[in-house]
Amino acid sequence: MSEWVALIIAMASACAVVMAVVVLRQRRPIEESADETPDVIEYITMMIGVVYAIVLGLAIAGVWEARGAAQDDLFREAQSLREISDRAVIYPAEFRDQVRADVDTYVSYVVNTEWSYMQETGGITEKGDQLLQKLQNDIATRSPASDLESQGYQPIMDRVSQASESRNSRGQNAGPTMPGVVWFGLIGGAVVTVGMLFALQIRRTPRELTLALCFSVLIAFLLFMIWDFDNPFSRSVSVTTQPFEDLFPSLNLGG
């Protein structure tokens, strides 16, 4: 089922629940006038709404920051590998081609194989670790044969370390980032916040129903947005392999 279909169903369900509760309440005799709602109930309702708005804002900021960090890590990984390939020009042709082949093999594997695995399982593969380790070993175990190679050795190794760190960060960020207890609070808070509407003696007037439905739809949409951003490498607004595709056009990764 498409995520957008799930969003529509969630919003429609929120509207249906509000409508059902309003209709059922109207069928029961109401002894208290809607114009005589105690001030304390209005105050509590307002405070609950403010507190829940703060919680929602923090949750949205958290998942957005996690997605941004994942995107930065991916770009750093791709950029480091691109620089390794470019800096390999200091080596003799045979070893230069070997280094570049190691980089291309790793990049192709990440985009064509590991990426789908990461989306499905929320983790990275041992094969990817082995390919990056091979690149590191090939460079680290070769003794510099000239002053130029000696000068270029440490910068290249720094880029390999940076790529490895970015890969590890990508593995840690794969999968949902929000703890279950936070989701419990978000969903429970939504139920309480929407439920407090009925403490204000909402009636079936078009204006009140419209406001209640819009409020419920907004809560459902925000929760869906948090869920969608919660996994940086999956779902509809996920981080893509575009940095690899842009920095390694010769591999035709987007094809």
Side-chain angles (χ1 to χ4, degrees), residues 187-210:
I187 296 175
V191 173
V192 173
T193 303
V194 175
M196 287 302 293
L197 292 175
F198 305 107
L200 298 177
Q201 300 294 339
I202 184 174
R203 295 168 295 181
R204 281 189 292 178
T205 62
R207 181 178 60 181
E208 292 181 353
L209 279 180
T210 300

Side-chain angles (χ1 to χ4, degrees), residues 75-196:
F75 179 79
R76 208 161 29 240
E77 182 181 2
Q79 182 64 36
S80 299
L81 292 167
R82 177 74 260 180
E83 291 187 20
I84 293 171
S85 184
D86 292 340
R87 290 173 181 269
V89 70
I90 65 174
Y91 294 116
E94 182 178 356
F95 187 71
R96 178 180 65 238
D97 293 342
Q98 179 182 344
V99 170
R100 290 178 174 175
D102 288 344
V103 172
D104 292 347
T105 300
Y106 173 78
V107 171
S108 298
Y109 176 79
V110 169
V111 174
N112 297 327
T113 304
E114 186 176 60
W115 199 263
S116 58
Y117 175 86
M118 185 174 62
Q119 290 177 326
E120 294 173 1
T121 64
I124 54 179
T125 65
E126 293 184 4
K127 177 68 178 297
D129 294 336
Q130 294 170 0
L131 292 175
L132 189 58
Q133 186 64 45
K134 180 180 183 301
L135 170 64
Q136 184 175 11
N137 291 340
D138 287 345
I139 298 175
T141 56
R142 185 183 189 278
S143 300
S146 65
D147 290 340
L148 182 61
E149 291 185 19
S150 298
Q151 295 173 5
Y153 173 79
Q154 192 57 49
I156 292 180
M157 289 302 299
D158 289 342
R159 298 303 181 276
V160 174
S161 298
Q162 190 176 58
S164 179
E165 292 174 2
S166 299
R167 173 181 173 79
N168 292 334
S169 297
R170 174 162 60 85
Q172 293 173 1
N173 290 328
T177 58
M178 294 278 286
V181 65
V182 177
W183 276 113
F184 177 81
L186 289 174
I187 296 175
V191 173
V192 173
T193 303
V194 175
M196 287 302 293

Side-chain angles (χ1 to χ4, degrees), residues 17-92:
V17 169
V18 172
M19 288 290 296
V21 173
V22 171
V23 171
L24 290 175
R25 288 183 72 254
Q26 289 294 321
R27 289 182 177 179
R28 299 175 57 186
I30 301 178
E31 300 176 356
E32 185 179 4
S33 171
D35 296 329
E36 298 178 356
T37 301
D39 292 340
V40 66
I41 293 183
E42 295 182 358
Y43 176 77
I44 292 174
T45 302
M46 179 187 68
M47 291 305 299
I48 290 176
V50 170
V51 171
Y52 188 63
I54 294 174
V55 173
L56 276 177
L58 292 175
I60 293 172
V63 294
W64 179 259
E65 182 179 357
R67 182 184 183 277
Q71 193 167 24
D72 292 342
D73 288 335
L74 183 67
F75 179 79
R76 208 161 29 240
E77 182 181 2
Q79 182 64 36
S80 299
L81 292 167
R82 177 74 260 180
E83 291 187 20
I84 293 171
S85 184
D86 292 340
R87 290 173 181 269
V89 70
I90 65 174
Y91 294 116

